[in-house]
Amino acid sequence: MTSKVVKPEQGEQIQLDANGALVVPNNPVIPYIEGDGIGVDVSPVMIDVVNAAVEKAYGGDKKIEWMEVYAGEKSTQVYGSEVWLPQETLDLVKEYKVAIKGPLTTPVGGGIRSLNVALRQELDLYVCLRPVRYYAGTPSPLKQPELTDMVIFRENSEDIYAGIEYQAGTPEATKVINFLKDEMGATKIRFDTDCGIGIKPTSKAGTTRLVKAALQYCIDNDRDSMTLVHKGNIMKFTEGAFKDWGYQVAREEFGAELIDGGPWCSFKNPNTGKEIIVKDVIADAFLQQILLRPAEYDVIATMNLNGDYVSDALAAQVGGIGIAPGANLGDGVAIFEATHGTAPKYAGQDKVNPGSVILSAEMMLRHLGWVEAADLIVKGMEGAIKAKTVTYDFERLMDDATLLSCSDFGKALVKNM
Ligand SMILES: NC(=O)C1=CN([C@@H]2O[C@H](COP(=O)(O)OP(=O)(O)OC[C@H]3O[C@@H](n4cnc5c(N)ncnc54)[C@H](OP(=O)(O)O)[C@@H]3O)[C@@H](O)[C@H]2O)C=CC1
Ligand SMILES: O=C(O)CCC(=O)C(=O)O
Ligand SMILES: [Mg+2]
Protein backbone atom coordinates (compact mmCIF):
# COMPACT_ATOMS: atom_id res chain seq x y z
CA MET A 1 0.00 0.00 0.00
CA THR A 2 1.34 3.48 -0.81
CA SER A 3 2.12 5.69 2.14
CA LYS A 4 -0.54 8.12 3.26
CA VAL A 5 1.71 9.81 5.80
CA VAL A 6 3.47 13.08 5.08
CA LYS A 7 6.91 12.85 6.64
CA PRO A 8 8.27 16.14 7.99
CA GLU A 9 11.07 17.62 5.91
CA GLN A 10 13.17 18.27 8.99
CA GLY A 11 13.74 16.03 11.97
CA GLU A 12 15.52 12.84 12.94
CA GLN A 13 14.45 9.52 14.34
CA ILE A 14 14.86 8.62 17.98
CA GLN A 15 17.19 5.63 18.25
CA LEU A 16 17.99 3.04 20.92
CA ASP A 17 21.54 2.51 22.19
CA ALA A 18 23.09 -0.90 22.88
CA ASN A 19 21.46 -0.96 26.35
CA GLY A 20 18.03 -0.16 24.95
CA ALA A 21 18.09 3.45 26.23
CA LEU A 22 16.63 6.21 24.06
CA VAL A 23 19.00 8.38 22.05
CA VAL A 24 17.00 11.54 21.42
CA PRO A 25 18.10 14.05 18.78
CA ASN A 26 17.36 17.76 19.25
CA ASN A 27 14.67 17.59 16.57
CA PRO A 28 12.92 14.22 16.98
CA VAL A 29 10.07 13.23 14.71
CA ILE A 30 7.09 12.30 16.89
CA PRO A 31 4.12 10.51 15.31
CA TYR A 32 0.73 11.52 16.66
CA ILE A 33 -2.82 10.21 16.23
CA GLU A 34 -5.36 13.04 16.48
CA GLY A 35 -8.13 10.78 17.81
CA ASP A 36 -11.87 10.54 17.34
CA GLY A 37 -14.55 12.70 18.99
CA ILE A 38 -12.86 15.35 21.14
CA GLY A 39 -9.49 14.31 19.69
CA VAL A 40 -10.03 17.08 17.14
CA ASP A 41 -10.28 19.56 20.04
CA VAL A 42 -7.58 18.39 22.45
CA SER A 43 -4.78 17.16 20.17
CA PRO A 44 -4.04 20.48 18.39
CA VAL A 45 -4.03 22.27 21.77
CA MET A 46 -1.60 19.68 23.13
CA ILE A 47 0.74 20.26 20.18
CA ASP A 48 0.64 24.05 20.67
CA VAL A 49 1.35 23.74 24.39
CA VAL A 50 4.23 21.31 23.89
CA ASN A 51 5.77 23.49 21.17
CA ALA A 52 5.54 26.52 23.45
CA ALA A 53 7.11 24.66 26.39
CA VAL A 54 9.97 23.32 24.26
CA GLU A 55 10.59 26.75 22.72
CA LYS A 56 10.59 28.43 26.13
CA ALA A 57 12.82 25.77 27.71
CA TYR A 58 15.41 25.51 24.94
CA GLY A 59 15.06 28.71 22.92
CA GLY A 60 15.13 26.99 19.53
CA ASP A 61 17.89 24.46 20.32
CA LYS A 62 15.31 21.69 20.49
CA LYS A 63 12.12 21.21 18.52
CA ILE A 64 9.64 18.41 17.92
CA GLU A 65 8.76 17.62 14.30
CA TRP A 66 5.19 16.31 14.45
CA MET A 67 4.09 13.61 11.99
CA GLU A 68 0.41 12.75 11.78
CA VAL A 69 -0.36 9.04 11.55
CA TYR A 70 -3.85 7.61 11.44
CA ALA A 71 -6.18 5.37 13.39
CA GLY A 72 -9.93 5.31 13.96
CA GLU A 73 -12.42 7.31 11.95
CA LYS A 74 -9.79 9.53 10.32
CA SER A 75 -7.97 6.42 9.12
CA THR A 76 -11.12 5.22 7.37
CA GLN A 77 -11.20 8.54 5.52
CA VAL A 78 -7.54 8.40 4.56
CA TYR A 79 -7.00 4.67 3.88
CA GLY A 80 -10.50 3.41 3.01
CA SER A 81 -13.71 2.62 4.83
CA GLU A 82 -12.58 -0.67 6.41
CA VAL A 83 -9.11 0.41 7.53
CA TRP A 84 -9.34 1.41 11.18
CA LEU A 85 -5.75 0.72 12.20
CA PRO A 86 -3.38 0.69 9.20
CA GLN A 87 -0.20 -1.35 9.27
CA GLU A 88 1.64 1.84 8.31
CA THR A 89 0.68 3.41 11.65
CA LEU A 90 1.98 0.41 13.58
CA ASP A 91 5.19 0.38 11.54
CA LEU A 92 5.84 4.10 11.97
CA VAL A 93 5.21 4.08 15.72
CA LYS A 94 7.58 1.13 16.04
CA GLU A 95 10.18 2.85 13.89
CA TYR A 96 9.97 6.27 15.57
CA LYS A 97 9.66 4.74 19.07
CA VAL A 98 7.76 7.51 20.86
CA ALA A 99 4.24 8.57 19.87
CA ILE A 100 1.20 10.28 21.35
CA LYS A 101 -2.48 9.76 20.64
CA GLY A 102 -5.92 11.19 21.27
CA PRO A 103 -8.83 8.92 22.21
CA LEU A 104 -10.36 6.41 19.79
CA THR A 105 -13.98 5.25 19.75
CA THR A 106 -14.94 1.65 20.51
CA PRO A 107 -18.57 0.69 19.87
CA VAL A 108 -20.33 -1.16 22.71
CA GLY A 109 -21.68 -4.65 22.09
CA GLY A 110 -20.87 -5.30 18.42
CA GLY A 111 -18.67 -3.63 15.85
CA ILE A 112 -14.90 -3.29 15.80
CA ARG A 113 -12.81 -4.25 18.80
CA SER A 114 -10.94 -1.52 20.63
CA LEU A 115 -8.23 0.16 18.55
CA ASN A 116 -6.66 1.44 21.76
CA VAL A 117 -6.29 -2.09 23.04
CA ALA A 118 -5.13 -3.27 19.60
CA LEU A 119 -2.33 -0.66 19.54
CA ARG A 120 -1.14 -1.80 22.97
CA GLN A 121 -1.26 -5.46 22.01
CA GLU A 122 0.22 -5.13 18.51
CA LEU A 123 3.17 -3.12 19.85
CA ASP A 124 3.40 -5.13 23.09
CA LEU A 125 3.10 -1.99 25.24
CA TYR A 126 2.61 -4.01 28.37
CA VAL A 127 2.63 -1.26 30.98
CA CYS A 128 -0.16 1.28 31.17
CA LEU A 129 1.34 3.89 33.48
CA ARG A 130 -1.11 6.37 34.96
CA PRO A 131 0.12 8.77 37.63
CA VAL A 132 -2.57 10.34 39.80
CA ARG A 133 -1.69 13.56 41.63
CA TYR A 134 -3.54 16.58 42.89
CA TYR A 135 -3.12 20.07 41.49
CA ALA A 136 -3.88 22.70 44.15
CA GLY A 137 -7.20 24.40 43.56
CA THR A 138 -8.72 21.59 41.49
CA PRO A 139 -12.31 20.83 42.54
CA SER A 140 -12.52 17.39 44.15
CA PRO A 141 -15.21 15.43 46.02
CA LEU A 142 -12.65 14.61 48.74
CA LYS A 143 -11.91 16.66 51.86
CA GLN A 144 -8.17 16.17 51.46
CA PRO A 145 -7.56 15.40 47.80
CA GLU A 146 -3.85 16.13 48.19
CA LEU A 147 -3.51 12.82 50.04
CA THR A 148 -4.18 10.98 46.79
CA ASP A 149 -0.77 10.53 45.20
CA MET A 150 -0.58 7.21 43.40
CA VAL A 151 0.97 5.75 40.28
CA ILE A 152 -0.98 2.99 38.55
CA PHE A 153 0.82 0.21 36.70
CA ARG A 154 -1.98 -1.45 34.75
CA GLU A 155 -1.13 -4.69 32.96
CA ASN A 156 -1.86 -3.89 29.34
CA SER A 157 -1.54 -7.10 27.34
CA GLU A 158 -3.63 -9.81 29.00
CA ASP A 159 -6.80 -10.41 31.01
CA ILE A 160 -10.23 -10.24 29.44
CA TYR A 161 -8.88 -7.47 27.17
CA ALA A 162 -7.35 -10.24 25.05
CA GLY A 163 -10.71 -10.20 23.29
CA ILE A 164 -11.23 -13.97 23.41
CA GLU A 165 -14.96 -14.06 23.81
CA TYR A 166 -17.82 -15.74 22.02
CA GLN A 167 -21.26 -14.31 21.45
CA ALA A 168 -24.26 -16.04 23.01
CA GLY A 169 -26.03 -18.43 20.67
CA THR A 170 -23.15 -18.82 18.18
CA PRO A 171 -21.71 -22.24 17.33
CA GLU A 172 -18.41 -21.06 18.88
CA ALA A 173 -19.99 -20.23 22.23
CA THR A 174 -21.89 -23.53 22.21
CA LYS A 175 -18.69 -25.42 21.38
CA VAL A 176 -16.75 -23.79 24.25
CA ILE A 177 -19.61 -24.39 26.69
CA ASN A 178 -19.90 -28.03 25.64
CA PHE A 179 -16.13 -28.46 25.98
CA LEU A 180 -16.23 -27.01 29.48
CA LYS A 181 -19.13 -29.25 30.47
CA ASP A 182 -18.16 -32.46 28.72
CA GLU A 183 -14.39 -32.44 28.98
CA MET A 184 -13.57 -30.14 31.90
CA GLY A 185 -16.32 -31.18 34.28
CA ALA A 186 -17.81 -27.69 34.58
CA THR A 187 -21.16 -27.98 36.33
CA LYS A 188 -21.86 -24.41 37.30
CA ILE A 189 -22.75 -22.65 34.08
CA ARG A 190 -26.10 -21.49 35.38
CA PHE A 191 -27.78 -20.99 31.98
CA ASP A 192 -25.90 -22.84 29.30
CA THR A 193 -27.95 -21.73 26.32
CA ASP A 194 -27.84 -18.17 25.02
CA CYS A 195 -24.76 -17.66 27.14
CA GLY A 196 -21.77 -15.58 26.06
CA ILE A 197 -18.33 -16.77 27.16
CA GLY A 198 -15.13 -14.77 27.75
CA ILE A 199 -11.63 -16.00 28.53
CA LYS A 200 -9.21 -14.32 30.94
CA PRO A 201 -5.60 -15.28 30.16
CA THR A 202 -3.18 -14.37 32.96
CA SER A 203 0.41 -15.50 32.75
CA LYS A 204 3.45 -15.56 34.97
CA ALA A 205 5.52 -13.87 32.24
CA GLY A 206 2.95 -11.10 31.78
CA THR A 207 2.63 -10.51 35.51
CA THR A 208 6.37 -10.63 36.11
CA ARG A 209 7.28 -7.96 33.55
CA LEU A 210 4.56 -5.62 34.84
CA VAL A 211 5.49 -6.04 38.50
CA LYS A 212 9.20 -5.68 37.74
CA ALA A 213 8.48 -2.36 36.02
CA ALA A 214 6.41 -1.19 39.01
CA LEU A 215 9.09 -2.13 41.55
CA GLN A 216 11.83 -0.54 39.46
CA TYR A 217 9.69 2.61 39.35
CA CYS A 218 9.54 2.54 43.18
CA ILE A 219 13.34 2.41 43.28
CA ASP A 220 13.93 5.08 40.65
CA ASN A 221 11.34 7.47 42.07
CA ASP A 222 11.86 6.90 45.79
CA ARG A 223 8.34 5.57 46.40
CA ASP A 224 7.37 3.92 49.70
CA SER A 225 5.25 0.96 48.68
CA MET A 226 3.78 -1.10 45.89
CA THR A 227 0.35 -2.66 46.28
CA LEU A 228 -0.91 -5.58 44.17
CA VAL A 229 -4.63 -4.99 43.59
CA HIS A 230 -6.52 -8.16 42.65
CA LYS A 231 -9.70 -10.18 43.09
CA GLY A 232 -7.81 -13.36 43.89
CA ASN A 233 -10.30 -14.64 46.45
CA ILE A 234 -12.79 -15.29 43.64
CA MET A 235 -10.60 -15.76 40.53
CA LYS A 236 -7.93 -17.86 42.14
CA PHE A 237 -5.88 -18.93 39.13
CA THR A 238 -5.91 -15.60 37.34
CA GLU A 239 -6.16 -12.72 39.82
CA GLY A 240 -4.89 -14.88 42.69
CA ALA A 241 -1.96 -16.06 40.60
CA PHE A 242 -1.22 -12.42 39.70
CA LYS A 243 -0.88 -11.66 43.42
CA ASP A 244 1.31 -14.71 44.11
CA TRP A 245 3.58 -14.12 41.13
CA GLY A 246 3.82 -10.45 42.08
CA TYR A 247 5.12 -11.29 45.54
CA GLN A 248 7.45 -13.87 43.99
CA VAL A 249 9.02 -11.18 41.78
CA ALA A 250 9.56 -8.96 44.83
CA ARG A 251 11.25 -11.78 46.76
CA GLU A 252 13.25 -13.41 44.00
CA GLU A 253 14.25 -10.43 41.86
CA PHE A 254 14.40 -7.60 44.42
CA GLY A 255 15.44 -9.56 47.52
CA ALA A 256 12.30 -8.71 49.49
CA GLU A 257 11.92 -10.42 52.86
CA LEU A 258 8.65 -11.41 54.51
CA ILE A 259 7.14 -9.09 57.11
CA ASP A 260 5.72 -11.01 60.11
CA GLY A 261 5.64 -14.26 58.15
CA GLY A 262 4.21 -12.69 54.98
CA PRO A 263 2.72 -12.40 52.48
CA TRP A 264 3.63 -8.70 52.80
CA CYS A 265 7.32 -8.19 52.30
CA SER A 266 9.85 -5.40 51.95
CA PHE A 267 13.26 -4.59 50.55
CA LYS A 268 15.66 -1.69 50.79
CA ASN A 269 15.80 0.82 47.98
CA PRO A 270 19.40 0.39 46.76
CA ASN A 271 19.58 4.12 45.94
CA THR A 272 18.33 5.53 49.24
CA GLY A 273 18.43 2.68 51.77
CA LYS A 274 14.75 3.32 52.50
CA GLU A 275 12.37 0.38 52.92
CA ILE A 276 9.92 -0.33 50.09
CA ILE A 277 6.87 -2.30 51.28
CA VAL A 278 5.19 -4.77 48.94
CA LYS A 279 1.59 -5.57 49.90
CA ASP A 280 -1.72 -6.58 48.36
CA VAL A 281 -5.38 -5.73 48.69
CA ILE A 282 -8.56 -7.17 47.23
CA ALA A 283 -9.94 -4.88 44.55
CA ASP A 284 -13.32 -4.05 46.10
CA ALA A 285 -11.75 -3.18 49.44
CA PHE A 286 -9.19 -1.07 47.57
CA LEU A 287 -11.94 0.98 45.94
CA GLN A 288 -13.33 2.00 49.33
CA GLN A 289 -9.93 2.51 50.93
CA ILE A 290 -8.73 4.91 48.23
CA LEU A 291 -11.57 7.18 49.35
CA LEU A 292 -11.13 6.65 53.09
CA ARG A 293 -7.35 6.18 53.46
CA PRO A 294 -5.68 7.25 50.21
CA ALA A 295 -2.39 8.11 51.91
CA GLU A 296 -1.78 4.39 52.52
CA TYR A 297 -1.34 3.70 48.81
CA ASP A 298 1.49 4.69 46.56
CA VAL A 299 2.47 2.61 43.50
CA ILE A 300 -0.30 0.25 42.37
CA ALA A 301 0.21 -2.86 40.21
CA THR A 302 -2.94 -4.42 38.88
CA MET A 303 -4.47 -6.39 36.06
CA ASN A 304 -6.00 -4.88 32.95
CA LEU A 305 -9.69 -4.57 33.88
CA ASN A 306 -9.04 -3.56 37.48
CA GLY A 307 -6.58 -0.97 36.17
CA ASP A 308 -9.19 0.47 33.84
CA TYR A 309 -11.71 0.90 36.68
CA VAL A 310 -9.14 2.14 39.17
CA SER A 311 -7.78 4.73 36.68
CA ASP A 312 -11.08 6.55 36.33
CA ALA A 313 -11.96 6.21 40.03
CA LEU A 314 -8.65 7.70 41.15
CA ALA A 315 -8.81 10.37 38.47
CA ALA A 316 -12.18 11.47 39.90
CA GLN A 317 -10.62 11.91 43.34
CA VAL A 318 -8.22 14.56 42.03
CA GLY A 319 -10.47 16.39 39.60
CA GLY A 320 -11.66 13.97 36.94
CA ILE A 321 -10.48 12.36 33.74
CA GLY A 322 -10.15 15.76 32.10
CA ILE A 323 -6.64 15.97 33.57
CA ALA A 324 -5.68 12.29 33.96
CA PRO A 325 -2.58 11.43 31.91
CA GLY A 326 -1.16 8.09 30.84
CA ALA A 327 1.49 6.20 28.92
CA ASN A 328 1.61 2.79 27.29
CA LEU A 329 5.15 1.49 27.60
CA GLY A 330 6.93 -1.47 26.06
CA ASP A 331 10.56 -2.37 25.63
CA GLY A 332 11.76 0.51 23.45
CA VAL A 333 8.40 1.79 22.21
CA ALA A 334 5.93 4.09 24.00
CA ILE A 335 2.60 5.68 23.17
CA PHE A 336 1.38 8.45 25.44
CA GLU A 337 -2.35 8.74 25.75
CA ALA A 338 -5.13 10.51 27.65
CA THR A 339 -7.07 8.37 30.14
CA HIS A 340 -10.46 9.63 28.96
CA GLY A 341 -12.36 8.62 25.84
CA THR A 342 -13.83 10.45 22.87
CA ALA A 343 -16.68 12.16 24.81
CA PRO A 344 -18.70 12.33 21.56
CA LYS A 345 -21.33 14.76 22.84
CA TYR A 346 -18.62 17.44 23.12
CA ALA A 347 -16.76 16.67 19.88
CA GLY A 348 -15.76 19.70 17.83
CA GLN A 349 -17.12 22.22 20.34
CA ASP A 350 -13.74 23.50 21.60
CA LYS A 351 -15.11 22.90 25.08
CA VAL A 352 -13.46 20.00 26.90
CA ASN A 353 -10.41 20.00 29.11
CA PRO A 354 -7.24 19.30 27.08
CA GLY A 355 -5.32 18.67 30.34
CA SER A 356 -5.29 14.90 30.08
CA VAL A 357 -3.47 14.70 26.75
CA ILE A 358 -1.30 17.72 27.64
CA LEU A 359 -0.14 16.01 30.84
CA SER A 360 0.39 12.83 28.81
CA ALA A 361 2.69 14.92 26.63
CA GLU A 362 4.38 16.14 29.80
CA MET A 363 5.12 12.49 30.62
CA MET A 364 6.40 12.07 27.06
CA LEU A 365 8.80 15.00 27.42
CA ARG A 366 10.15 13.48 30.65
CA HIS A 367 10.52 10.15 28.81
CA LEU A 368 12.64 11.99 26.20
CA GLY A 369 14.72 13.50 29.00
CA TRP A 370 13.39 17.00 28.23
CA VAL A 371 12.60 17.68 31.87
CA GLU A 372 12.82 21.47 31.62
CA ALA A 373 9.99 21.55 29.09
CA ALA A 374 8.01 19.01 31.13
CA ASP A 375 8.43 21.15 34.26
CA LEU A 376 7.12 24.18 32.37
CA ILE A 377 3.94 22.30 31.46
CA VAL A 378 3.38 21.37 35.11
CA LYS A 379 4.01 25.00 36.09
CA GLY A 380 1.56 26.21 33.44
CA MET A 381 -1.10 23.75 34.59
CA GLU A 382 -0.64 24.70 38.26
CA GLY A 383 -0.79 28.40 37.39
CA ALA A 384 -3.90 28.17 35.19
CA ILE A 385 -5.80 26.17 37.84
CA LYS A 386 -4.67 28.43 40.68
CA ALA A 387 -5.85 31.47 38.67
CA LYS A 388 -9.23 29.72 38.30
CA THR A 389 -9.06 30.02 34.51
CA VAL A 390 -10.43 26.60 33.61
CA THR A 391 -12.63 24.56 31.27
CA TYR A 392 -16.29 23.67 31.93
CA ASP A 393 -15.57 20.51 33.95
CA PHE A 394 -13.74 22.48 36.66
CA GLU A 395 -15.64 25.74 36.29
CA ARG A 396 -18.98 24.10 37.16
CA LEU A 397 -17.51 22.92 40.47
CA MET A 398 -15.53 26.04 41.44
CA ASP A 399 -16.65 29.35 42.92
CA ASP A 400 -15.78 32.48 40.93
CA ALA A 401 -13.89 30.64 38.21
CA THR A 402 -13.51 31.96 34.66
CA LEU A 403 -14.85 29.58 32.03
CA LEU A 404 -12.40 28.98 29.19
CA SER A 405 -12.70 27.04 25.97
CA CYS A 406 -10.41 24.10 25.30
CA SER A 407 -8.08 26.19 23.15
CA ASP A 408 -8.12 29.17 25.54
CA PHE A 409 -7.19 26.86 28.40
CA GLY A 410 -4.16 25.85 26.34
CA LYS A 411 -3.28 29.54 25.96
CA ALA A 412 -3.77 30.13 29.71
CA LEU A 413 -1.45 27.24 30.41
CA VAL A 414 1.22 28.73 28.14
CA LYS A 415 0.78 32.15 29.79
CA ASN A 416 1.43 30.57 33.20
CA MET A 417 4.60 28.70 32.16
N1 LIG B 1 -7.97 5.37 25.44
C1 LIG B 1 -9.02 5.70 24.73
O1 LIG B 1 -8.93 6.10 23.58
C2 LIG B 1 -10.36 5.56 25.37
C3 LIG B 1 -11.45 5.47 24.56
N2 LIG B 1 -12.70 5.38 25.11
C4 LIG B 1 -13.84 5.33 24.17
O2 LIG B 1 -14.45 6.63 24.17
C5 LIG B 1 -15.83 6.50 23.87
C6 LIG B 1 -16.68 7.27 24.90
O3 LIG B 1 -16.52 6.66 26.15
P1 LIG B 1 -17.18 7.17 27.51
O4 LIG B 1 -17.38 6.01 28.36
O5 LIG B 1 -18.30 8.08 27.22
O6 LIG B 1 -15.99 7.96 28.25
P2 LIG B 1 -15.35 9.37 27.98
O7 LIG B 1 -14.11 9.40 28.77
O8 LIG B 1 -15.23 9.66 26.54
O9 LIG B 1 -16.40 10.42 28.57
C7 LIG B 1 -17.10 10.26 29.77
C8 LIG B 1 -17.30 11.62 30.44
O10 LIG B 1 -16.07 12.02 31.01
C9 LIG B 1 -15.95 13.42 30.95
N3 LIG B 1 -14.80 13.74 30.09
C10 LIG B 1 -14.15 12.94 29.22
N4 LIG B 1 -13.14 13.58 28.66
C11 LIG B 1 -13.14 14.81 29.17
C12 LIG B 1 -12.33 15.96 28.97
N5 LIG B 1 -11.28 15.96 28.13
N6 LIG B 1 -12.62 17.08 29.66
C13 LIG B 1 -13.64 17.10 30.52
N7 LIG B 1 -14.43 16.06 30.74
C14 LIG B 1 -14.18 14.93 30.08
C15 LIG B 1 -17.26 13.93 30.38
O11 LIG B 1 -18.09 14.11 31.53
P3 LIG B 1 -19.38 15.07 31.63
O12 LIG B 1 -20.45 14.42 30.80
O13 LIG B 1 -19.70 15.00 33.10
O14 LIG B 1 -19.02 16.44 31.19
C16 LIG B 1 -17.69 12.76 29.54
O15 LIG B 1 -19.06 12.77 29.26
C17 LIG B 1 -16.14 5.00 23.85
O16 LIG B 1 -16.15 4.60 22.51
C18 LIG B 1 -14.95 4.39 24.58
O17 LIG B 1 -14.70 3.09 24.18
C19 LIG B 1 -12.91 5.41 26.47
C20 LIG B 1 -11.83 5.50 27.32
C21 LIG B 1 -10.46 5.54 26.84
O1 LIG C 1 -10.43 1.16 24.23
C1 LIG C 1 -11.41 1.73 24.69
O2 LIG C 1 -12.32 2.12 23.98
C2 LIG C 1 -11.48 2.02 26.15
C3 LIG C 1 -10.14 1.94 26.81
C4 LIG C 1 -10.12 2.47 28.18
O3 LIG C 1 -11.12 2.74 28.80
C5 LIG C 1 -8.84 2.69 28.81
O4 LIG C 1 -7.80 2.31 28.26
O5 LIG C 1 -8.80 3.25 29.91
MG1 LIG D 1 -10.70 3.45 30.76
Side-chain angles (χ1 to χ4, degrees):
M1 188 182 277
T2 51
S3 172
K4 305 282 188 194
V5 171
V6 180
K7 301 221 169 113
E9 282 171 16
Q10 314 281 325
E12 292 170 51
Q13 279 186 24
I14 293 171
Q15 307 286 348
L16 296 180
D17 71 13
N19 299 318
L22 291 187
V23 180
V24 181
N26 281 339
N27 56 348
V29 175
I30 303 273
Y32 73 95
I33 295 167
E34 181 181 79
D36 299 329
I38 56 168
V40 70
D41 301 292
V42 296
S43 291
V45 176
M46 177 276 293
I47 288 176
D48 287 348
V49 168
V50 170
N51 287 344
V54 170
E55 169 66 27
K56 180 154 189 174
Y58 309 113
D61 289 345
K62 292 183 195 284
K63 180 171 186 284
I64 289 176
E65 298 292 345
W66 300 96
M67 175 170 73
E68 183 164 16
V69 298
Y70 302 96
E73 283 151 26
K74 202 160 180 184
S75 166
T76 65
Q77 290 153 18
V78 172
Y79 287 84
S81 60
E82 297 304 315
V83 187
W84 294 89
L85 180 55
Q87 186 61 40
E88 183 171 34
T89 295
L90 295 169
D91 292 344
L92 288 171
V93 172
K94 212 184 270 182
E95 191 180 334
Y96 286 83
K97 296 180 184 60
V98 176
I100 187 161
K101 68 177 276 294
L104 295 168
T105 302
T106 313
V108 177
I112 56 161
R113 287 201 172 273
S114 166
L115 303 169
N116 308 300
V117 172
L119 275 163
R120 298 166 192 164
Q121 290 175 344
E122 291 289 330
L123 297 166
D124 204 21
L125 307 176
Y126 56 90
V127 171
C128 181
L129 175 64
R130 289 176 167 170
V132 184
R133 59 154 285 198
Y134 181 66
Y135 284 87
T138 304
S140 158
L142 297 194
K143 282 189 195 141
Q144 289 181 285
E146 67 283 1
L147 296 182
T148 300
D149 180 9
M150 299 184 212
V151 182
I152 303 161
F153 277 72
R154 166 188 177 191
E155 203 291 317
N156 228 4
S157 64
E158 300 195 297
D159 200 353
I160 51 171
Y161 283 66
I164 309 169
E165 55 172 8
Y166 303 100
Q167 192 174 9
T170 60
E172 291 82 6
T174 306
K175 194 169 177 179
V176 174
I177 289 169
N178 286 341
F179 168 74
L180 292 172
K181 283 178 16 185
D182 300 342
E183 297 186 43
M184 302 302 290
T187 56
K188 291 187 181 157
I189 302 175
R190 176 65 182 84
F191 298 106
D192 62 4
T193 52
D194 282 333
C195 173
I197 283 279
I199 309 281
K200 182 178 170 77
T202 308
S203 71
K204 184 173 183 182
T207 303
T208 298
R209 64 183 183 170
L210 185 268
V211 172
K212 267 175 84 166
L215 289 173
Q216 191 58 48
Y217 183 95
C218 290
I219 292 172
D220 295 342
N221 296 278
D222 192 18
R223 306 292 296 217
D224 298 331
S225 72
M226 186 206 70
T227 304
L228 298 155
V229 177
H230 61 85
K231 189 72 185 171
N233 48 340
I234 304 298
M235 293 168 273
K236 295 180 189 302
F237 303 134
T238 51
E239 303 255 345
F242 175 85
K243 175 200 67 141
D244 292 340
W245 288 323
Y247 277 128
Q248 193 177 347
V249 171
R251 291 192 309 270
E252 294 181 0
E253 306 214 22
F254 292 81
E257 299 201 352
L258 298 185
I259 301 172
D260 295 335
W264 287 28
C265 53
S266 72
F267 64 98
K268 277 200 180 9
N269 184 329
N271 297 337
T272 63
K274 268 168 54 183
E275 212 66 23
I276 296 172
I277 308 242
V278 181
K279 53 187 176 170
D280 75 280
V281 62
I282 294 176
D284 42 358
F286 177 71
L287 287 172
Q288 59 104 24
Q289 289 192 356
I290 54 175
L291 290 170
L292 300 176
R293 304 207 298 271
E296 290 178 20
Y297 295 98
D298 192 348
V299 172
I300 306 302
T302 193
M303 295 176 62
N304 213 333
L305 180 61
N306 297 334
D308 200 354
Y309 294 157
V310 162
S311 299
D312 283 31
L314 281 174
Q317 294 186 195
V318 294
I321 45 180
I323 56 161
N328 302 290
L329 307 172
D331 294 325
V333 179
I335 300 182
F336 294 78
E337 172 184 33
T339 294
H340 61 70
T342 55
K345 68 183 175 189
Y346 297 127
Q349 294 178 27
D350 191 20
K351 175 176 171 116
V352 293
N353 194 333
S356 181
V357 75
I358 290 172
L359 291 174
S360 303
E362 182 268 338
M363 292 174 72
M364 180 181 83
L365 290 168
R366 244 172 251 290
H367 182 74
L368 300 180
W370 293 13
V371 289
E372 298 82 2
D375 288 345
L376 281 175
I377 289 185
V378 172
K379 186 169 171 234
M381 181 67 78
E382 285 170 344
I385 293 172
K386 218 171 267 173
K388 297 191 174 188
T389 48
V390 290
T391 45
Y392 84 94
D393 50 330
F394 286 7
E395 190 267 347
R396 67 187 171 186
L397 299 170
M398 288 164 97
D399 294 328
D400 309 322
T402 305
L403 175 63
L404 297 186
S405 66
C406 177
S407 52
D408 282 345
F409 182 74
K411 290 180 192 132
L413 202 152
V414 171
K415 201 176 92 192
N416 281 283
M417 277 177 186

